[in-house]
Amino acid sequence: MLHTLRTYFSSDFDWLPGLDTPHYYPQLAGKLLLHCEIPLDEPHLMTALSQNVLIKVPGLDHHFWGFRCRRCGNKEQHLFAEIPHAICGKDCVYCRSCIQMGRVMECESLYFGSSNVSWPRLENPCAWKGKLTFSQQKAADEIRNVIQLGKGEKLIWAVCGAGKTEMLFPGLTEAFTSGKRVCLATPRTDVVRELLPRLKSAFPNVEMEALYGDSPNKKGAAQFLIATTHQLLRFAHAFDVMIIDEIDAFPFHQDPALHYASKRAAKTESSLIYLTATPRKAQHKRIRNKTLPVVFIPTRFHGHPLPVPQLKLTPNLFHHLKRGKIPPSLLEKIKQQQQSHRQLLIFMPSVKQADQIAEYLRKWKMVVESVHAEDPKRADKVMAFRKKHYPILVTTTILERGVTFPSVDVYVVDAGHSVFDEAALVQIAGRAGRSPDDPYGDVIFFHTGKTNPLLDARESIMKMNRLGEKL
Amino acid sequence: MRCLICHEEIIPKITWANFWNVPEKEILCIVCESQFQPLKPGCVLCFREGENGVCEDCQWWERNHPGLLAKNTSVFQYNEFAKDFVARWKYRGDYILLEALQWHVVEHFSRMRNSDCIIAPIPLSEERFSERGFNQSEAIICLLNRRSQSLFERRNSEKQSKKGRYARITSNNPFKLTHPVHQPVILVDDIYTTGTTVRHAASLLKQAGCPAVTSFTIFR
């Protein structure tokens, strides 16, 4: 009784069999798949099952007080429903929470693949010849220690533009020389797309794969996976090293299914590394209680301080936004900005407003693009902006993090809106001044009244700068 | 109570009119409910919107294969929201979603002449059936609380939704009649796009001597 109670409330994975059959199917290693997702034909599947490479586990946990989905950890009873199932002829329960990735049912099994595949041990996998700064080196050493040890957690709390990706390189080198399997997970597709070419050039000989919702390749058979956190729903006890980038980002930080999946995707003995620029309450609490070891890096890699946002009161903002316009003062500011050599990134609270404002600015003969989450040309537009093909990009919070533009000014219109919380504003401000050639940039928050997130964001940036000066 | 589609909590409005009553069970939130567009009266044969009299498609059918389908009744427009809805319900297999439409579907069905009719589902191929685990037409009949009688068998498994308009209209008849009947029949399906599927089934029934075939589809 107590035991089942515990399995219901905690995310223990003792239902996963301790499977360590060695095998040569990298596409099955550490996977938790539905029958239709298995990349083998029926006879091969049978041999894999008989050799204990794959093991069947029930898809749902049935407790006295309700169900729990083993794939996504869902235990909200309103997210379970019944279907009159034609195959077994009974009413079967299925999970509605993760149905986007195929239906997990009471009467069907999940297939768990043994993760004991011997991955290649590479000598000198790292081709990156850059040099880390003093504080980057400090963090890099800590990361390498955790990976060498093979277990433990570490939070890397580094300001936007501290060079987090580069800090990982010594640790990754260590992992690949000792034949470990690594996953770099992040909540954002854009971040995956941006990281892949950088990591590919740094580790040219490592087998690498990017996994996201509409990625061309979905095998998940490589030694090094760069994936969105949603893709981890298909993995179990797969990785020796698990790196989660931007742990505070939407949707990871408030989706329990993703926490559940990322916890399950790591092996029981594994190194967990979290990267963030803006830790949330939960992490702050663990840092205070000293249960989460942390490395703190308050300076950017080029050593210049973070641009401090200016707050600008525009009382007539809503009056103009309602009519699909922007106040004359703001328009004047944008025109002025266009005289400078920098590009301009404008953040709006909603997709509709972003499109409207882009349209409005086009009337003033400016070259403007707008981009939002569902935009089919999103990746191309962002790429073109990075290559300086056009001067102004109007966007929503989807570009708040993970993307680097060499030299931009950042304006946030209606910064008091509830979509811009403290973390978002700090991240947005962190888009400016990322290149050593142009380490400054104007960050202006246009608001109709100061809100707590606005002040907190500015306060936390100034605090970082103060701490950075002390070093 | 939570919305069946977006899972948002539904907070019932309390007014003096319902102050003393137990709140009714609501299935959809106002936002999701308003996304389904009821069909306005259109073509008299197939319910296509914005048509006067008989639409061009139906005229084509009547010229080439007269009298196959007496009438089609549909409930909602097949708009973007409905497309997502059907994708989730039918292809992902989120069976319970259909309950969201129960009230409207039953209401529209009861307006049809249906008392002495046989209600027949459109069959799925063996392969699709085992993949999805349910037949969408039978699910709708089950929602209507009626008994379904299966009359057909399907021979091949091509998906209509993957084909173009012309390829659909001219495709071969995928069905085989297994139980000939001499009563009026209502064919039930989820979507009416070009009307080929229901007309294929109807043509077999007509050949076997069925007096009248009508069809009931949720989306048009």
Side-chain angles (χ1 to χ4, degrees):
Chain A
M1 177 76 184
L2 256 182
H3 176 72
T4 50
L5 191 73
R6 202 173 297 130
T7 53
Y8 184 69
F9 284 105
S10 68
S11 40
D12 283 338
F13 304 107
D14 35 7
W15 50 269
L16 275 174
L19 192 64
D20 56 349
T21 331
H23 64 96
Y24 301 100
Y25 299 103
Q27 72 271 33
L28 298 180
K31 288 287 186 74
L32 192 68
L33 298 174
L34 292 169
H35 183 268
C36 59
E37 292 172 333
I38 297 170
L40 297 177
D41 52 9
E42 205 57 32
H44 276 96
L45 172 63
M46 282 304 154
T47 35
L49 278 170
S50 64
Q51 286 169 348
N52 267 348
V53 171
L54 280 176
I55 274 193
K56 283 189 188 185
V57 287
L60 298 181
D61 258 335
H62 190 187
H63 295 283
F64 177 60
W65 38 82
F67 289 93
R68 181 164 198 184
C69 174
R70 284 182 167 174
R71 187 168 63 173
C72 68
N74 164 36
K75 51 181 196 265
E76 300 275 345
Q77 294 311 307
H78 71 93
L79 290 177
F80 288 101
E82 278 187 357
I83 171 173
H85 197 208
I87 290 152
C88 57
K90 280 185 304 208
D91 284 357
C92 295
V93 177
Y94 67 94
C95 171
R96 300 187 65 209
S97 167
C98 56
I99 200 157
Q100 278 304 329
M101 308 187 88
R103 190 170 54 196
V104 178
M105 295 188 59
E106 189 189 11
C107 60
E108 287 174 2
S109 302
L110 288 168
Y111 292 75
F112 170 53
S114 154
S115 56
N116 193 358
V117 168
S118 58
W119 301 99
R121 290 162 193 264
L122 302 166
E123 278 176 36
N124 296 325
C126 186
W128 187 68
K129 291 284 174 282
K131 210 177 160 335
L132 295 174
T133 64
F134 174 74
S135 45
Q136 273 182 318
Q137 190 62 52
K138 198 180 86 186
D141 288 343
E142 298 249 13
I143 294 171
R144 195 173 51 204
N145 285 343
V146 175
I147 291 177
Q148 224 160 22
L149 198 63
K151 58 180 181 190
E153 284 182 301
K154 185 116 300 185
L155 173 73
I156 312 295
W157 177 1
V159 294
C160 308
K164 286 191 281 271
T165 317
E166 284 77 16
M167 283 178 224
L168 295 172
F169 289 168
L172 289 175
T173 310
E174 167 66 34
F176 297 134
T177 43
S178 49
K180 289 184 171 178
R181 197 180 192 196
V182 183
C183 176
L184 175 56
T186 158
R188 301 276 176 126
T189 315
D190 295 276
V191 182
V192 177
R193 282 208 206 94
E194 167 147 334
L195 282 177
L196 183 72
R198 278 165 78 186
L199 289 163
K200 239 187 182 138
S201 61
F203 296 95
N205 297 325
V206 177
E207 216 193 319
M208 208 177 284
E209 213 178 282
L211 283 179
Y212 45 89
D214 39 48
S215 59
N217 185 348
K218 276 203 178 149
K219 275 205 310 203
Q223 179 174 13
F224 185 22
L225 290 179
I226 305 156
T228 53
T229 41
H230 274 101
Q231 298 299 320
L232 298 179
L233 284 172
R234 297 207 174 98
F235 288 91
H237 289 181
F239 304 107
D240 301 287
V241 179
M242 182 85 194
I243 304 164
I244 304 177
D245 197 0
E246 314 276 11
I247 41 163
D248 59 300
F250 175 84
F252 186 74
H253 86 98
Q254 78 275 56
D255 190 343
L258 298 180
H259 285 271
Y260 178 88
S262 63
K263 212 168 156 190
R264 186 190 58 209
K267 284 186 183 167
T268 16
E269 284 259 299
S270 58
S271 329
L272 300 168
I273 291 152
Y274 311 119
L275 307 175
T276 180
T278 41
R280 300 261 174 183
K281 239 183 188 162
Q283 287 107 33
H284 276 302
K285 197 173 163 195
R286 289 190 62 197
I287 293 168
R288 264 203 313 279
N289 296 346
K290 301 213 163 56
T291 50
L292 182 64
V294 60
V295 190
F296 179 57
I297 301 160
T299 51
R300 294 188 143 182
F301 73 97
H302 51 54
H304 294 275
L306 295 158
V308 177
Q310 305 161 33
L311 306 185
K312 204 155 188 125
L313 183 69
T314 39
N316 51 359
L317 189 62
F318 289 138
H319 175 85
H320 287 87
L321 283 183
K322 243 187 257 164
R323 290 160 178 76
K325 295 177 184 175
I326 48 175
S329 60
L330 177 52
L331 186 66
E332 210 47 49
K333 191 83 193 156
I334 293 173
K335 281 183 187 162
Q336 243 174 49
Q337 194 277 342
Q338 287 299 296
Q339 306 300 319
S340 76
H341 62 279
R342 290 195 194 121
Q343 287 171 288
L344 179 61
L345 199 54
I346 301 176
F347 285 88
M348 302 294 302
S350 73
V351 177
K352 201 177 120 212
Q353 285 179 342
D355 287 340
Q356 274 179 354
I357 298 311
E359 200 51 48
Y360 179 70
L361 290 177
R362 264 183 220 123
K363 277 188 205 150
W364 293 90
K365 307 227 166 16
M366 296 187 208
V367 187
V368 187
E369 286 289 348
S370 69
V371 67
H372 56 87
E374 253 96 72
D375 195 334
K377 285 185 283 183
R378 169 174 160 190
D380 299 336
K381 282 181 180 173
V382 172
M383 189 53 90
F385 187 68
R386 192 172 299 147
K387 287 181 183 154
K388 302 202 172 183
H389 289 180
Y390 57 93
I392 304 179
L393 179 61
V394 187
T395 181
T396 59
T397 47
I398 52 150
L399 288 187
E400 77 181 30
R401 55 179 82 224
V403 286
T404 302
F405 304 111
S407 162
V408 287
D409 284 329
V410 179
Y411 293 174
V412 184
V413 179
D414 191 10
H417 194 283
S418 57
V419 299
F420 298 117
D421 55 8
E422 186 199 334
L425 288 169
V426 171
Q427 291 282 0
I428 287 171
R431 296 309 101 198
R434 290 175 79 94
S435 141
D437 305 326
D438 181 20
Y440 306 103
D442 282 336
V443 180
I444 307 179
F445 294 163
F446 295 91
H447 63 93
T448 52
K450 289 175 188 167
T451 58
N452 281 338
L454 272 179
L455 296 172
D456 291 344
R458 191 168 72 157
E459 190 52 44
S460 95
I461 289 172
M462 285 178 0
K463 188 177 158 202
M464 292 277 188
N465 281 344
R466 274 202 303 279
L467 290 167
E469 267 170 34
K470 278 188 201 159
L471 285 181
Chain B
M1 275 176 293
R2 285 183 182 263
C3 172
L4 206 56
I5 295 177
C6 65
H7 309 313
E8 287 294 320
E9 195 129 16
I10 305 169
I11 296 156
K13 225 182 189 158
I14 296 174
T15 58
W16 287 116
N18 64 9
F19 189 77
W20 297 107
N21 302 351
V22 179
E24 268 174 60
K25 195 168 188 290
E26 284 176 65
I27 298 176
L28 285 188
C29 66
I30 302 166
V31 182
C32 291
E33 176 110 47
S34 66
Q35 305 265 355
F36 287 110
Q37 294 282 331
L39 283 165
K40 296 182 203 85
C43 171
V44 285
L45 284 182
C46 74
F47 252 72
R48 173 185 273 194
E49 268 199 313
E51 300 276 342
N52 280 323
V54 181
C55 73
E56 261 177 51
D57 275 16
C58 293
Q59 282 173 20
W60 186 91
W61 281 110
E62 288 305 312
R63 263 201 312 278
N64 293 296
H65 309 277
L68 286 185
L69 191 70
K71 189 176 164 45
N72 170 61
T73 304
S74 298
V75 186
F76 294 111
Q77 257 178 41
Y78 192 45
N79 56 11
E80 283 305 313
F81 188 78
K83 270 180 201 166
D84 286 345
F85 176 86
V86 171
R88 225 170 107 188
W89 167 62
K90 191 161 80 169
Y91 301 124
R92 300 278 168 208
D94 200 350
Y95 184 85
I96 195 142
L97 268 185
L98 193 63
E99 274 184 19
L101 304 178
Q102 182 163 28
W103 190 83
H104 295 274
V105 171
V106 171
E107 160 107 6
H108 273 78
F109 188 77
S110 63
R111 282 188 216 154
M112 286 174 77
R113 176 181 159 243
N114 61 40
S115 53
D116 55 341
C117 295
I118 287 177
I119 300 171
I122 299 291
L124 275 175
S125 68
E126 203 59 39
E127 194 190 335
R128 297 261 167 280
F129 190 49
S130 66
E131 199 178 282
R132 288 181 195 157
F134 69 100
N135 177 334
Q136 71 271 9
S137 311
E138 273 182 53
I140 296 168
I141 297 170
C142 194
L143 188 78
L144 295 168
N145 239 331
R146 298 290 294 256
R147 222 172 60 85
S148 79
Q149 190 173 341
S150 123
L151 305 176
F152 304 99
E153 219 170 63
R154 199 185 188 107
R155 280 186 301 212
N156 62 1
S157 61
E158 286 170 30
K159 264 190 190 167
Q160 291 284 329
S161 55
K162 294 275 187 294
K163 284 194 228 160
R165 199 174 180 80
Y166 186 74
R168 279 190 196 195
I169 293 185
T170 55
S171 62
N172 289 329
N173 196 332
F175 304 116
K176 213 174 83 187
L177 192 66
T178 50
H179 300 84
V181 285
H182 297 283
Q183 270 169 286
V185 171
I186 300 177
L187 295 166
V188 175
D189 202 1
D190 52 346
I191 310 164
Y192 181 105
T193 316
T194 57
T196 313
T197 313
V198 280
R199 281 193 174 87
H200 274 320
S203 73
L204 293 174
L205 285 170
K206 281 277 176 183
Q207 276 166 27
C210 173
V213 185
T214 49
S215 69
F216 180 76
T217 53
I218 296 186
F219 298 106
R220 170 72 176 98

